């Protein structure tokens, strides 16, 4: 089978910009809702703190497929080291999947933000300054005219380098560090949480009455970035796909305590087809699905052929 290339992290970044990633991931979620993907449950081997995950998706209309193998070690930076393989009828492509994962995770938050955030949203709060953080900002800036960014991280020394990076990339963006998570979210129109927290980062009362919140950090039942009261009172609770997100800490905690009904949780693909009325506080909880990886890999394959 012809090789289409082996993309390093730098190659991935050079080939795929965030606006294109948001568009591709939006299309993939629509395809997922339409039944175009075969997507087995994620395979997880190992322990809570150190695991290997395998995710795969096959796109029926095109016959193209993607397989991603990721090693996750909490406390390591980056926490995720991964490799992706794309296969279609014309060849095969491999890529360093850490960059793919950050891009597609950011892009999903961008899709959800575009769907649910106020059209005039211009203040963004970011909680977390790890490997996923910058792409959360890039994604929100791809869909909203954000003028002000506030960042909080549990380890304060990591905030400065991130702010320097984003200031250089977005010269007109006003940036500042916050002393607490509550301070960061207090005046926000959009909040992005990208941490490995096991307890909620803030209380419901810290949030404005109209705000959209993305939470992408937690991926197992013991992890929670958001207070259960937020999910209980939000006008819209969105997930990438319920089958994938059902065991994420925020969703599981709220369901188990009767604070949230299954019928009150919407899949992103379905919400794109029938957009909910976005009022008050809205939430997007994402753990990631393989169709997102497929979307970014397809852009890489297109790049390789041109």
């Amino acid at each position: 089978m012809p090789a289409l290339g082996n993309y390093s992290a730098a190659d991935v970044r050079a080939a795929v910009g965030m606006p294109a990633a948001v568009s591709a991931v939006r299309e993939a979620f629509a395809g997922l809702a339409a039944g175009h993907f075969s997507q087995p449950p994620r395979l997880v081997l190992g322990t809570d703190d150190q695991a290997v995950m395998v995710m795969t998706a096959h796109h029926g209309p095109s016959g193209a497929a993607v397989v991603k193998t990721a090693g996750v070690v909490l406390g390591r930076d980056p926490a995720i080291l991964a490799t992706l393989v794309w296969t279609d009828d014309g060849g095969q492509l491999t890529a360093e999947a850490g960059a793919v994962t950050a891009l597609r995770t950011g892009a999903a938050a961008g899709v959800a933000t575009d769907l649910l955030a106020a059209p005039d949203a211009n203040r963004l709060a970011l909680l977390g300054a790890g490997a996923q953080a910058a792409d959360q900002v890039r994604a929100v800036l791809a869909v909203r005219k954000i003028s002000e960014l506030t960042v909080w991280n549990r380890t304060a020394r990591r905030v400065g380098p991130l702010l320097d990076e984003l200031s250089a990339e977005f010269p007109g963006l006003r940036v500042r560090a916050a002393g607490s998570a509550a301070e960061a979210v207090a005046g926000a129109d959009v909040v992005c949480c990208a941490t490995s927290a096991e307890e909620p980062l803030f209380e419901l009362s810290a949030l404005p009455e109209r705000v959209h919140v993305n939470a992408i950090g937690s991926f197992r039942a013991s992890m929670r970035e958001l207070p259960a009261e937020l999910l209980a009172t939000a006008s819209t609770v969105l997930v990438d796909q319920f089958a994938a997100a059902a065991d994420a800490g925020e969703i599981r905690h709220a369901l188990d305590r009767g604070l949230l009904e299954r019928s009150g949780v919407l899949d992103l693909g379905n919400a794109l087809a029938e957009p909910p009325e976005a009022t008050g506080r809205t939430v997007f909880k994402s753990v990631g699905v393989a169709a997102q990886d497929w979307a970014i890999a397809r852009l890489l394959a297109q790049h390789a052929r041109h």
Side-chain angles (χ1 to χ4, degrees):
M1 179 174 288
L4 298 176
N6 181 14
Y7 280 67
S8 67
D11 294 334
V12 171
R13 294 293 182 179
V16 180
M18 185 55 78
V22 171
S23 179
V25 167
R26 181 185 288 112
E27 183 178 346
F29 273 112
L32 187 62
H36 294 166
F37 286 93
S38 297
Q39 187 176 260
R42 171 171 35 199
L43 176 64
V44 181
L45 305 170
T47 66
D48 282 350
D49 293 331
Q50 186 169 339
V52 173
M53 298 187 294
V54 181
M55 303 172 67
T56 183
H58 176 268
H59 184 246
S62 68
V66 67
V67 177
K68 183 174 75 174
T69 304
V72 181
V73 179
L74 295 184
R76 181 179 66 191
D77 188 18
I80 301 173
L81 295 175
T83 300
L84 176 145
V85 179
W86 160 276
T87 305
D88 61 23
D89 59 5
Q92 188 174 83
L93 176 148
T94 59
E96 191 283 321
V100 172
T101 300
L103 266 171
R104 60 87 145 153
T105 304
V111 174
T113 299
D114 198 26
L115 184 66
L116 296 178
D120 61 350
N122 66 358
R123 296 171 297 179
L124 171 62
L126 172 65
L127 307 184
Q132 302 281 340
D135 282 308
Q136 293 293 300
V137 175
R138 294 180 182 117
V140 175
L141 266 66
V143 300
R144 288 295 183 272
K145 294 181 179 180
I146 299 297
S147 61
E148 181 180 323
L149 169 67
T150 304
V151 179
W152 172 84
N153 189 65
R154 199 177 304 276
T155 306
R157 61 179 172 77
R158 301 186 64 177
V159 174
L162 177 63
L163 292 181
D164 290 344
E165 175 188 356
L166 293 170
S167 294
E169 187 172 345
F170 302 102
L173 184 64
R174 299 194 303 275
V175 301
R176 72 179 184 91
S180 68
E183 176 192 339
V185 306
D189 301 308
V190 179
V191 175
C192 289
C193 303
T195 76
S196 58
E198 296 190 348
E199 296 293 336
L201 298 168
F202 51 83
E203 296 183 356
L204 178 64
S205 59
L207 289 172
E209 291 295 326
R210 176 66 175 110
V211 64
H212 172 65
V213 181
N214 299 304
I216 63 95
S218 67
F219 57 90
R220 64 189 192 202
S222 63
M223 302 170 73
R224 284 195 296 148
E225 296 182 290
L226 307 180
E229 294 81 6
L230 173 57
L231 277 70
T233 58
S235 67
T236 301
V237 176
L238 204 61
V239 295
D240 33 32
Q241 191 178 42
F242 186 80
D247 287 328
E250 290 90 351
I251 301 297
R252 177 52 49 202
H253 184 87
L255 288 172
D256 287 349
R257 284 154 183 76
L259 299 173
L260 185 66
E261 297 292 333
R262 167 65 185 92
S263 60
V265 182
L266 304 178
D267 283 7
L268 179 52
N270 294 334
L272 290 171
E274 297 184 25
E277 183 179 359
T279 60
R281 296 166 176 145
T282 57
V283 173
F284 174 55
K285 173 59 203 166
S286 175
V287 297
V289 294
Q292 294 168 247
D293 298 308
W294 185 94
I296 304 302
R298 184 182 66 159
L299 294 179
L300 294 177
Q302 291 171 347
H303 178 270
R305 290 188 165 107
H306 291 87

